[in-house]
């Protein structure tokens, strides 16, 4: 989510200073890179042999902290980006 906000702000800044062609090239590049990302993500959600792994408390804690930080950065991005914009 924070990456999306960052790209959006960069594209908007490029358009504001009349570098629309740079923003268009960057947007096209972002769309094309989606194919690379999908090559990694699609196999993760395909049905296959399911192996259930045992997780300990530390792994769960790290996952919860990472998820919380990611969501906070995504939802409240303006709070963090505001002073630099």
């Amino acid at each position: 989510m924070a990456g999306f906000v960052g790209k959006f702000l960069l594209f908007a800044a490029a358009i504001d200073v009349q570098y629309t062609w740079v923003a268009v090239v960057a947007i096209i590049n972002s769309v094309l890179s989606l194919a690379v990302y999908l090559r990694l993500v699609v196999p993760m959600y395909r049905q296959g042999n399911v192996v259930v792994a045992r997780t300990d408390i530390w792994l769960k804690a790290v996952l919860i902290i990472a998820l919380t930080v990611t969501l906070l950065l995504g939802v409240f991005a303006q709070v963090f980006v505001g002073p630099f914009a």
Side-chain angles (χ1 to χ4, degrees):
M1 293 177 76
F4 172 77
V5 172
K7 281 185 180 183
F8 180 77
L9 291 174
L10 284 174
F11 299 157
I15 291 170
D16 283 343
V17 294
Q18 304 302 318
Y19 282 112
T20 306
W21 67 272
V22 173
V24 170
V25 170
I27 291 169
I28 291 171
N29 190 24
S30 294
V31 170
L32 292 175
S33 69
L34 183 63
V36 175
Y37 299 139
L38 288 177
R39 288 181 63 196
L40 297 172
V41 173
V42 168
M44 290 190 296
Y45 291 99
R46 285 197 177 146
Q47 295 295 327
N49 297 337
V50 177
V51 178
V52 178
R54 196 183 111 239
T55 58
D56 61 348
I57 189 70
W58 294 109
L59 178 61
K60 289 179 184 178
V62 168
L63 288 174
I64 290 171
I65 291 170
L67 177 67
T68 304
V69 170
T70 301
L71 288 175
L72 288 174
L73 284 175
V75 173
F76 299 109
Q78 191 62 36
V79 173
F80 300 106
V81 177
F84 302 109

